[in-house]
Amino acid sequence: MITQIENLPKNVIGFTYKGKVTGQDYEKVIFPVIKKATKGKQKIRLIFRFGKSFSKLNLKAMMDDTFIGLKYFGDWERIAIVSDHTMMNHAIKAFSFLMPGRLKIFPLNELDKAIEWVSKDKE
């Protein structure tokens, strides 16, 4: 399941992943939000929070994740990953050179720091 994180700074979009995530989650939650955000002229700043109950992405969700990443490749400015899933964090770090914009990983207990980092204009 994917839910949108509410009450973020206006230049930040956030999603929480819980349990098993499906392609239908992407189609219902992520695609409409990203499509709307890309209509503006600003680059997109994202937070992806993987809760403790997150278990996996099914094949359709993985394909949708790749699709949206490529479709809006030039639109990403900053991406904060908030997760205590060690193996996933290592995989994201290993492939982060392929991702546009800046990417940083935070532990679950540092969501506030992730929001601060992803929303500020300068490092």
Side-chain angles (χ1 to χ4, degrees):
M1 170 200 303
I2 300 173
T3 57
Q4 188 171 358
I5 301 171
E6 302 293 331
N7 301 317
L8 292 172
K10 70 177 188 171
N11 63 339
V12 177
I13 299 168
F15 302 99
T16 296
Y17 290 55
K18 296 177 184 175
K20 181 179 177 183
V21 174
T22 68
Q24 193 172 33
D25 293 319
Y26 274 80
E27 292 164 16
K28 287 184 176 180
V29 180
I30 292 183
F31 285 175
V33 174
I34 298 297
K35 184 176 181 179
K36 182 180 176 185
T38 58
K39 289 185 180 187
K41 302 221 186 283
Q42 290 185 310
K43 296 278 188 169
I44 299 172
R45 296 172 181 211
L46 293 164
I47 295 177
F48 293 106
R49 181 184 180 273
F50 293 88
K52 291 182 189 241
S53 70
F54 170 74
S55 60
K56 67 178 180 175
L57 299 171
N58 73 8
L59 181 59
K60 176 76 168 99
M62 285 188 265
M63 291 170 41
D64 284 346
D65 190 71
T66 301
F67 169 78
I68 204 160
L70 293 173
K71 181 174 181 176
Y72 299 107
F73 190 81
D75 294 312
W76 312 126
E77 184 172 17
R78 286 186 185 210
I79 301 170
I81 305 294
V82 183
S83 167
D84 286 342
H85 297 274
T86 306
M87 293 303 292
M88 185 178 66
N89 291 354
H90 288 305
I92 290 169
K93 281 182 188 176
F95 291 99
S96 64
F97 71 95
L98 296 172
M99 296 179 190
R102 310 258 337 259
L103 181 127
K104 192 168 180 179
I105 299 174
F106 297 84
L108 275 175
N109 65 351
E110 292 186 3
L111 178 60
D112 290 340
K113 287 183 182 180
I115 293 168
E116 180 183 334
W117 175 81
V118 81
S119 64
K120 67 183 176 179
D121 289 327
K122 301 204 185 234
E123 193 88 27

